[in-house]
Coordinates of all heavy atoms in Angstrom, one line a residue:
M16 N 30.3 24.0 1.0 CA 30.3 24.7 2.4 C 31.5 24.9 3.0 O 31.8 25.8 3.9 CB 29.4 23.8 3.2 CG 28.6 24.5 4.3 SD 27.6 23.4 5.1 CE 26.8 24.6 6.1
T17 N 32.6 24.2 2.3 CA 33.9 24.4 3.0 C 34.6 25.5 2.1 O 35.8 25.8 2.5 CB 34.8 23.0 2.9 OG1 34.8 22.7 1.4 CG2 34.1 22.0 3.6
D18 N 34.0 26.1 1.1 CA 34.7 27.2 0.3 C 34.6 28.5 1.3 O 33.6 29.0 1.7 CB 34.0 27.4 -0.8 CG 34.7 28.3 -1.8 OD1 34.8 29.6 -1.5 OD2 35.2 27.9 -2.8
T19 N 35.9 29.0 1.6 CA 36.0 30.2 2.5 C 35.6 31.5 1.9 O 35.5 32.4 2.5 CB 37.3 30.1 3.3 OG1 38.4 30.3 2.2 CG2 37.6 29.0 4.1
T20 N 35.6 31.6 0.5 CA 35.4 32.8 -0.3 C 33.9 33.2 -0.2 O 33.6 34.4 -0.3 CB 35.8 32.7 -1.7 OG1 34.9 31.6 -2.4 CG2 37.2 32.3 -1.9
E21 N 33.0 32.3 0.2 CA 31.6 32.6 0.2 C 31.0 33.1 1.6 O 29.9 33.3 1.8 CB 30.7 31.5 -0.3 CG 30.9 31.3 -1.8 CD 30.1 30.1 -2.4 OE1 29.0 29.8 -1.8 OE2 30.5 29.7 -3.4
R22 N 31.9 32.8 2.6 CA 31.6 33.0 3.9 C 31.7 34.5 4.3 O 32.7 35.2 4.1 CB 32.5 32.3 4.9 CG 32.4 30.8 4.9 CD 33.1 30.2 5.8 NE 33.1 28.7 5.8 CZ 33.9 27.8 6.3 NH1 34.9 28.2 7.1 NH2 33.7 26.4 6.1
P23 N 30.6 35.2 4.9 CA 30.7 36.6 5.3 C 31.6 36.7 6.5 O 31.8 35.7 7.3 CB 29.3 37.0 5.7 CG 28.6 35.6 6.0 CD 29.4 34.5 5.2
A24 N 32.2 37.9 6.6 CA 33.3 38.2 7.8 C 32.2 38.1 9.1 O 31.2 38.5 9.1 CB 33.8 39.4 7.7
L25 N 33.0 37.5 10.1 CA 32.2 37.5 11.4 C 32.3 38.7 12.1 O 33.3 39.4 12.2 CB 32.9 36.4 12.3 CG 32.8 35.0 11.9 CD1 33.7 34.1 12.6 CD2 31.3 34.6 12.2
P26 N 31.1 39.3 12.4 CA 31.0 40.6 13.1 C 31.5 40.5 14.5 O 31.7 39.6 15.1 CB 29.5 41.0 13.1 CG 28.9 39.6 13.1 CD 29.8 38.7 12.4
D27 N 31.7 41.8 15.1 CA 32.1 41.9 16.4 C 31.1 41.6 17.4 O 31.4 40.9 18.5 CB 32.6 43.3 16.7 CG 33.0 43.7 18.1 OD1 34.0 42.9 18.6 OD2 32.3 44.4 18.8
H28 N 29.8 41.7 17.1 CA 28.8 41.4 17.9 C 27.7 40.7 17.2 O 27.2 41.1 16.1 CB 28.1 42.8 18.5 CG 27.1 42.6 19.6 ND1 26.8 43.7 20.5 CD2 26.3 41.6 20.0 CE1 26.0 43.2 21.4 NE2 25.6 42.1 21.1
L29 N 27.4 39.5 17.7 CA 26.4 38.6 17.0 C 25.6 37.9 17.9 O 25.9 37.6 19.0 CB 27.2 37.5 16.2 CG 26.4 36.6 15.3 CD1 25.7 37.4 14.3 CD2 27.3 35.5 14.8
S30 N 24.2 37.9 17.6 CA 23.2 37.1 18.3 C 22.5 36.0 17.6 O 22.3 36.3 16.4 CB 22.2 38.3 18.8 OG 21.2 37.6 19.5
T31 N 22.0 34.9 18.3 CA 21.2 34.0 17.6 C 19.8 34.3 17.5 O 18.9 33.8 16.9 CB 21.4 32.7 18.4 OG1 21.0 32.7 19.7 CG2 22.9 32.2 18.2
D32 N 19.3 35.4 18.4 CA 18.0 35.7 18.4 C 17.6 36.6 17.2 O 18.2 37.7 16.8 CB 17.7 36.6 19.7 CG 16.3 37.1 19.8 OD1 15.5 36.5 19.1 OD2 16.0 37.7 20.8
E33 N 16.6 36.1 16.3 CA 16.3 36.7 15.1 C 15.6 38.1 15.3 O 15.6 38.9 14.6 CB 15.3 35.8 14.4 CG 15.8 34.6 14.0 CD 14.8 33.5 13.4 OE1 13.6 33.9 13.4 OE2 15.2 32.5 12.8
R34 N 15.1 38.4 16.4 CA 14.6 39.8 16.7 C 15.7 40.7 17.2 O 15.3 41.9 17.1 CB 13.6 39.8 17.9 CG 12.3 38.8 17.5 CD 11.6 38.6 18.7 NE 12.4 37.7 19.7 CZ 12.0 37.5 20.9 NH1 11.0 38.0 21.4 NH2 12.9 36.7 21.6
S35 N 16.8 40.4 17.4 CA 18.0 41.2 17.7 C 18.5 42.0 16.6 O 18.6 41.5 15.5 CB 19.1 40.4 18.4 OG 20.3 41.2 18.6
P36 N 19.0 43.3 16.8 CA 19.5 44.0 15.7 C 21.0 43.6 15.3 O 21.5 43.8 14.3 CB 19.6 45.4 16.3 CG 19.6 45.3 17.8 CD 18.7 44.1 18.0
H37 N 21.4 42.5 16.2 CA 22.8 42.1 15.9 C 22.7 40.6 15.3 O 23.7 39.9 15.2 CB 23.7 41.8 17.2 CG 23.8 43.2 17.9 ND1 24.5 44.2 17.5 CD2 23.2 43.7 19.0 CE1 24.5 45.3 18.2 NE2 23.7 45.1 19.1
H38 N 21.6 40.2 14.8 CA 21.4 39.0 14.2 C 21.6 39.1 12.7 O 21.1 40.0 12.0 CB 19.9 38.4 14.4 CG 19.7 37.2 13.8 ND1 20.0 35.8 14.3 CD2 19.1 36.7 12.5 CE1 19.7 34.8 13.5 NE2 19.1 35.4 12.5
V39 N 22.5 38.2 12.1 CA 22.8 38.2 10.7 C 22.6 36.8 10.2 O 23.3 35.9 10.4 CB 24.3 38.7 10.5 CG1 24.6 38.6 8.9 CG2 24.7 40.0 11.1
A40 N 21.5 36.7 9.5 CA 21.0 35.3 9.1 C 22.2 34.6 8.1 O 22.4 33.4 8.2 CB 19.7 35.4 8.4
A41 N 22.8 35.4 7.4 CA 23.8 34.8 6.3 C 24.9 33.9 7.1 O 25.4 33.1 6.6 CB 24.3 35.9 5.4
I42 N 25.3 34.4 8.2 CA 26.3 33.8 9.0 C 25.9 32.6 9.5 O 26.7 31.6 9.6 CB 26.8 34.8 10.1 CG1 27.5 36.0 9.5 CG2 27.7 34.1 11.1 CD1 28.1 37.0 10.5
F43 N 24.6 32.4 9.9 CA 24.1 31.1 10.5 C 23.9 30.1 9.5 O 23.5 28.9 9.8 CB 22.9 31.4 11.4 CG 23.2 32.2 12.5 CD1 22.8 33.4 12.7 CD2 23.9 31.7 13.6 CE1 23.1 34.2 13.8 CE2 24.3 32.4 14.7 CZ 23.9 33.6 14.8
E44 N 24.1 30.3 8.2 CA 24.1 29.2 7.2 C 25.3 28.4 7.2 O 25.6 27.4 6.6 CB 24.0 29.9 5.8 CG 22.7 30.6 5.5 CD 22.6 31.3 4.2 OE1 23.6 31.2 3.5 OE2 21.7 32.1 3.9
H45 N 26.3 28.8 8.0 CA 27.5 28.1 8.2 C 27.8 27.8 9.6 O 27.2 28.4 10.5 CB 28.9 29.0 7.7 CG 28.6 29.6 6.4 ND1 28.8 28.8 5.2 CD2 28.3 30.8 5.9 CE1 28.7 29.6 4.1 NE2 28.3 30.8 4.5
D46 N 28.5 26.8 9.9 CA 28.9 26.6 11.5 C 29.8 27.5 11.9 O 30.9 27.7 11.5 CB 29.4 25.1 11.5 CG 28.6 24.0 11.3 OD1 27.4 24.3 11.4 OD2 28.8 22.9 10.9
V47 N 29.3 28.1 13.1 CA 30.2 29.2 13.8 C 30.6 28.6 15.1 O 29.9 28.0 15.9 CB 29.4 30.4 13.9 CG1 30.3 31.5 14.8 CG2 28.9 31.0 12.7
G48 N 31.8 28.7 15.4 CA 32.4 28.2 16.7 C 32.8 29.4 17.6 O 33.1 30.5 17.1
I49 N 32.7 29.3 18.9 CA 33.0 30.2 19.8 C 33.9 29.6 20.9 O 33.7 28.6 21.4 CB 31.8 30.8 20.7 CG1 30.8 31.3 19.7 CG2 32.1 31.8 21.7 CD1 31.2 32.5 19.0
R50 N 35.1 30.3 21.1 CA 36.1 29.9 22.0 C 36.1 31.0 23.1 O 36.4 32.1 22.9 CB 37.5 29.7 21.3 CG 38.4 28.8 22.0 CD 39.7 28.6 21.3 NE 39.4 27.6 20.2 CZ 39.6 28.0 18.9 NH1 40.2 29.2 18.6 NH2 39.5 27.1 18.0
F51 N 35.8 30.6 24.4 CA 35.6 31.5 25.5 C 36.8 31.0 26.5 O 36.7 29.9 27.0 CB 34.2 31.4 26.0 CG 34.1 32.4 27.2 CD1 34.0 33.7 27.1 CD2 34.0 31.9 28.5 CE1 33.9 34.7 28.0 CE2 33.7 32.8 29.5 CZ 33.7 34.1 29.3
N52 N 37.7 32.0 26.7 CA 38.8 31.6 27.7 C 39.5 30.4 27.3 O 39.8 29.5 28.1 CB 38.3 31.5 29.1 CG 37.9 32.9 29.7 OD1 38.4 34.0 29.1 ND2 37.0 33.0 30.7
D53 N 39.7 30.2 25.9 CA 40.6 29.1 25.3 C 39.7 27.7 25.6 O 40.4 26.7 25.4 CB 41.9 29.0 26.0 CG 42.6 30.2 25.6 OD1 42.5 30.8 24.5 OD2 43.5 30.6 26.4
K54 N 38.4 27.7 25.8 CA 37.6 26.5 25.8 C 36.4 26.7 24.7 O 35.7 27.7 24.7 CB 37.0 26.4 27.2 CG 38.0 26.0 28.3 CD 37.5 25.8 29.5 CE 38.5 25.3 30.6 NZ 38.1 25.3 31.8
E55 N 36.2 25.6 24.1 CA 35.0 25.6 23.1 C 33.8 25.6 23.9 O 33.5 24.9 24.8 CB 35.1 24.2 22.3 CG 34.1 24.2 21.2 CD 34.4 25.0 20.0 OE1 35.5 25.4 19.7 OE2 33.4 25.3 19.2
R56 N 32.8 26.6 23.3 CA 31.4 26.7 24.0 C 30.4 26.6 22.9 O 30.5 27.0 21.8 CB 31.3 28.1 24.6 CG 32.1 28.5 25.7 CD 31.9 27.8 27.0 NE 30.5 27.7 27.4 CZ 30.0 28.4 28.6 NH1 31.0 28.8 29.4 NH2 28.8 28.2 29.0
N57 N 29.5 25.7 23.2 CA 28.4 25.3 22.2 C 27.1 25.8 22.6 O 26.1 25.7 21.8 CB 28.3 23.7 22.0 CG 29.6 23.2 21.5 OD1 30.2 23.7 20.8 ND2 29.7 22.0 22.1
D58 N 27.0 26.6 23.7 CA 25.8 27.0 24.2 C 25.6 28.6 24.1 O 24.7 29.1 24.8 CB 25.5 26.6 25.6 CG 26.5 27.0 26.5 OD1 27.7 27.5 26.0 OD2 26.3 26.8 27.8
V59 N 26.5 29.3 23.4 CA 26.5 30.8 23.4 C 25.3 31.3 22.5 O 25.0 30.8 21.4 CB 27.8 31.2 22.8 CG1 27.8 32.7 22.6 CG2 28.9 30.7 23.5
Q60 N 24.6 32.2 23.1 CA 23.5 32.8 22.3 C 23.8 34.2 21.8 O 23.2 34.7 20.8 CB 22.2 33.0 23.2 CG 21.6 31.6 23.5 CD 20.3 31.6 24.3 OE1 19.8 32.8 24.7 NE2 19.6 30.6 24.2
E61 N 24.7 34.9 22.4 CA 25.1 36.1 21.8 C 26.7 36.4 22.3 O 27.0 35.9 23.4 CB 24.3 37.2 22.5 CG 24.5 38.6 21.9 CD 23.5 39.7 22.4 OE1 22.5 39.2 23.1 OE2 23.5 40.8 22.1
Y62 N 27.4 37.1 21.6 CA 28.7 37.4 22.0 C 29.1 38.8 21.5 O 28.5 39.4 20.6 CB 29.7 36.4 21.5 CG 30.0 36.5 19.9 CD1 30.9 37.5 19.4 CD2 29.4 35.6 19.1 CE1 31.2 37.6 18.1 CE2 29.7 35.7 17.7 CZ 30.6 36.7 17.3 OH 30.8 36.7 15.8
C63 N 30.2 39.3 22.1 CA 30.8 40.6 21.7 C 32.3 40.4 22.0 O 32.8 40.4 23.0 CB 30.3 41.9 22.5 SG 30.8 43.4 21.9
I64 N 33.1 40.5 20.8 CA 34.4 40.4 21.0 C 35.2 41.4 21.5 O 36.0 41.4 22.5 CB 35.1 40.0 19.5 CG1 34.5 38.7 19.1 CG2 36.6 39.9 19.6 CD1 34.8 38.4 17.6
S65 N 34.9 42.7 21.1 CA 35.6 43.9 21.6 C 35.2 44.3 23.1 O 36.1 44.7 23.9 CB 35.2 45.1 20.9 OG 33.7 45.3 21.0
E66 N 34.1 43.9 23.6 CA 33.8 44.1 25.1 C 34.1 42.8 25.8 O 34.1 42.9 27.1 CB 32.2 44.4 25.2 CG 31.9 45.8 24.6 CD 30.6 46.2 24.7 OE1 29.8 45.4 25.5 OE2 30.1 47.0 24.0
G67 N 34.4 41.7 25.2 CA 34.8 40.5 25.9 C 33.9 39.8 26.7 O 34.0 39.5 27.9
W68 N 32.6 39.5 26.2 CA 31.6 38.9 26.9 C 30.7 37.9 26.1 O 30.7 38.1 24.7 CB 30.6 39.8 27.7 CG 29.9 40.9 26.8 CD1 30.4 42.1 26.5 CD2 28.7 40.7 26.1 NE1 29.5 42.8 25.8 CE2 28.5 41.9 25.4 CE3 27.9 39.6 25.8 CZ2 27.4 42.1 24.7 CZ3 26.8 39.8 25.0 CH2 26.5 41.1 24.4
I69 N 30.1 36.9 26.6 CA 29.2 36.0 26.0 C 28.0 35.9 26.8 O 28.0 36.1 28.0 CB 29.8 34.6 25.6 CG1 30.1 33.9 27.0 CG2 30.9 34.7 24.8 CD1 30.5 32.4 26.8
K70 N 26.8 35.6 26.2 CA 25.6 35.3 26.9 C 25.3 33.8 26.8 O 25.2 33.3 25.6 CB 24.5 36.2 26.6 CG 24.6 37.6 26.9 CD 23.4 38.4 26.7 CE 23.4 39.8 27.2 NZ 22.3 40.6 27.0
V71 N 25.1 33.1 27.9 CA 24.7 31.7 27.8 C 23.5 31.5 28.6 O 23.2 32.2 29.5 CB 25.8 30.7 28.2 CG1 27.0 30.9 27.5 CG2 26.2 31.2 29.7
P72 N 22.6 30.4 28.2 CA 21.4 30.3 29.0 C 21.6 29.7 30.3 O 22.6 29.1 30.6 CB 20.6 29.2 28.1 CG 21.7 28.6 27.3 CD 22.7 29.7 27.0
V73 N 20.7 30.0 31.3 CA 20.8 29.4 32.6 C 20.0 28.3 32.8 O 18.7 28.3 33.0 CB 20.4 30.6 33.6 CG1 20.4 30.1 35.0 CG2 21.2 31.8 33.4
G74 N 20.4 27.2 32.6 CA 19.7 25.9 32.6 C 18.5 25.9 31.7 O 18.5 26.3 30.5
N75 N 17.3 25.4 32.2 CA 16.2 25.3 31.4 C 15.1 26.5 31.8 O 14.0 26.4 31.5 CB 15.4 24.0 31.5 CG 16.2 23.0 31.0 OD1 17.0 23.1 30.0 ND2 16.1 21.8 31.5
K76 N 15.6 27.5 32.5 CA 14.9 28.6 32.9 C 14.3 29.5 31.8 O 15.1 29.8 30.9 CB 15.4 29.4 34.0 CG 16.1 28.8 35.1 CD 15.2 28.7 36.3 CE 15.9 28.0 37.4 NZ 15.0 27.6 38.4
V77 N 13.1 30.0 31.9 CA 12.6 30.9 30.8 C 11.9 32.0 31.5 O 11.4 31.9 32.5 CB 11.7 30.1 29.8 CG1 12.4 29.1 29.0 CG2 10.4 29.6 30.6
D78 N 11.9 33.1 30.7 CA 11.1 34.3 31.3 C 9.7 34.2 31.0 O 9.2 33.1 30.3 CB 11.7 35.5 30.7 CG 11.5 35.8 29.1 OD1 10.9 35.0 28.6 OD2 12.1 36.8 28.7
R79 N 8.9 35.1 31.3 CA 7.4 35.1 31.1 C 6.9 35.1 29.7 O 5.9 34.7 29.4 CB 6.7 36.1 32.0 CG 7.1 37.5 31.5 CD 6.5 38.6 32.3 NE 7.4 39.8 32.3 CZ 7.0 40.8 32.9 NH1 5.8 41.1 33.4 NH2 7.9 41.9 32.8
K80 N 8.0 35.4 28.7 CA 7.6 35.4 27.4 C 8.0 34.1 26.7 O 7.9 33.9 25.4 CB 8.1 36.6 26.7 CG 7.5 37.8 27.0 CD 8.2 39.1 26.3 CE 7.6 40.5 26.9 NZ 8.1 41.5 26.2
G81 N 8.6 33.2 27.5 CA 9.2 31.9 26.9 C 10.6 32.0 26.4 O 11.0 31.0 25.9
N82 N 11.3 33.1 26.5 CA 12.7 33.2 26.0 C 13.5 32.7 27.1 O 13.3 32.8 28.4 CB 13.0 34.7 25.8 CG 12.1 35.2 24.7 OD1 11.8 34.5 23.8 ND2 11.7 36.5 24.8
P83 N 14.6 32.0 26.9 CA 15.5 31.5 27.8 C 16.2 32.6 28.5 O 16.5 33.7 28.1 CB 16.5 30.7 27.1 CG 16.5 31.1 25.7 CD 15.1 31.6 25.4
L84 N 16.3 32.4 29.9 CA 17.2 33.4 30.6 C 18.6 33.2 30.5 O 19.0 32.0 30.4 CB 16.9 33.1 32.2 CG 15.5 33.5 32.7 CD1 15.3 33.2 34.1 CD2 15.2 35.0 32.5
T85 N 19.3 34.3 30.3 CA 20.8 34.1 30.1 C 21.6 34.9 31.1 O 21.0 35.9 31.7 CB 21.1 34.8 28.7 OG1 20.7 36.2 28.8 CG2 20.4 34.1 27.5
I86 N 22.8 34.5 31.1 CA 23.8 35.2 32.1 C 25.0 35.6 31.3 O 25.3 34.9 30.2 CB 24.3 34.1 33.2 CG1 25.1 34.9 34.2 CG2 24.9 33.0 32.6 CD1 25.4 34.1 35.5
K87 N 25.5 36.7 31.6 CA 26.7 37.4 30.8 C 28.0 36.9 31.5 O 28.1 37.2 32.6 CB 26.5 38.8 30.8 CG 27.7 39.5 29.8 CD 27.7 41.0 29.9 CE 26.5 41.6 29.1 NZ 26.6 43.0 29.1
L88 N 28.9 36.3 30.7 CA 30.2 35.9 31.3 C 31.2 36.8 30.5 O 31.2 36.9 29.3 CB 30.4 34.4 31.0 CG 29.3 33.4 31.5 CD1 29.7 32.1 31.0 CD2 29.4 33.5 33.2
K89 N 32.1 37.3 31.4 CA 33.2 38.2 30.8 C 34.5 37.4 30.7 O 34.9 36.4 31.6 CB 33.5 39.4 31.6 CG 32.2 40.3 31.6 CD 32.6 41.6 32.3 CE 31.6 42.5 31.9 NZ 32.0 43.6 30.9
G90 N 35.2 37.6 29.6 CA 36.5 36.8 29.3 C 36.9 37.0 28.0 O 36.5 37.9 27.2
K91 N 38.0 36.2 27.5 CA 38.5 36.3 26.2 C 37.6 35.5 25.1 O 37.3 34.3 25.4 CB 39.8 35.8 26.1 CG 40.6 35.8 24.8 CD 42.0 35.2 25.0 CE 42.3 34.5 23.8 NZ 43.6 33.7 24.0
V92 N 37.1 36.3 24.3 CA 36.1 35.8 23.3 C 36.8 35.6 21.8 O 37.3 36.6 21.3 CB 34.8 36.6 23.0 CG1 33.9 35.8 22.2 CG2 34.2 36.6 24.5
E93 N 36.7 34.5 21.2 CA 37.1 34.2 19.9 C 36.1 33.6 19.0 O 35.5 32.6 19.5 CB 38.4 33.4 19.7 CG 39.6 33.9 20.6 CD 40.7 32.9 20.7 OE1 41.1 32.3 19.5 OE2 41.0 32.5 21.7
A94 N 35.7 34.1 17.8 CA 34.7 33.5 16.9 C 35.4 33.0 15.7 O 36.3 33.8 15.1 CB 33.6 34.6 16.6
Y95 N 35.0 31.9 15.1 CA 35.6 31.3 13.9 C 34.6 30.4 13.3 O 33.6 30.0 13.9 CB 36.8 30.5 14.3 CG 36.7 29.4 15.2 CD1 36.4 28.2 14.8 CD2 36.5 29.6 16.6 CE1 36.2 27.1 15.7 CE2 36.3 28.5 17.5 CZ 36.1 27.2 16.9 OH 35.8 26.2 17.8
Y96 N 34.8 30.2 12.0 CA 34.1 29.2 11.2 C 34.6 27.7 11.5 O 35.9 27.6 11.4 CB 34.1 29.5 9.9 CG 33.2 30.7 9.4 CD1 33.7 31.9 9.0 CD2 31.8 30.6 9.6 CE1 32.9 33.0 8.6 CE2 31.1 31.6 9.2 CZ 31.6 32.8 8.8 OH 30.7 33.9 8.4
K97 N 33.8 26.8 11.5 CA 34.1 25.4 11.8 C 34.5 24.7 10.6 O 34.0 25.0 9.6 CB 33.3 24.7 12.5 CG 33.1 25.1 14.0 CD 32.0 24.1 14.7 CE 31.7 24.5 16.0 NZ 30.7 23.7 16.8

């Protein structure tokens, strides 16, 4: 798992939601870290590096379909393998 040759390149836009067109299952086989405004974030559900935003859940709130409510935060986004 520490071999970097088998890791796929991190995309510009990635989502943890399996229904999203931006979800890539092969990437989630490895630990992915997100640094937002130079601070480590562990609660990111979606990110876009080129547009500079992340989506994080708002507490324990869910919508009527049971999906967590998210808020979009803008800033400097860096994705990396742990």
Side-chain angles (χ1 to χ4, degrees):
M16 209 170 185
T17 59
D18 191 290
T19 58
T20 60
E21 296 182 21
R22 294 179 181 172
L25 289 169
D27 176 60
H28 191 155
L29 185 65
S30 174
T31 59
D32 185 6
E33 295 174 354
R34 296 168 294 168
S35 171
H37 302 290
H38 179 80
V39 181
I42 291 178
F43 292 107
E44 293 175 359
H45 309 282
D46 288 334
V47 177
I49 303 294
R50 202 172 287 121
F51 181 69
N52 291 336
D53 298 325
K54 293 183 182 176
E55 180 78 22
R56 294 294 300 244
N57 297 322
D58 57 348
V59 176
Q60 291 190 345
E61 188 171 357
Y62 73 81
C63 183
I64 296 172
S65 63
E66 295 177 12
W68 56 262
I69 61 171
K70 286 188 180 181
V71 294
V73 180
N75 293 330
K76 308 260 184 203
V77 294
D78 64 8
R79 58 186 153 167
K80 295 181 181 178
N82 300 321
L84 291 178
T85 60
I86 186 170
K87 185 187 283 189
L88 303 174
K89 293 193 169 249
K91 184 177 138 189
V92 181
E93 299 173 52
Y95 61 93
Y96 285 113
K97 291 183 182 179

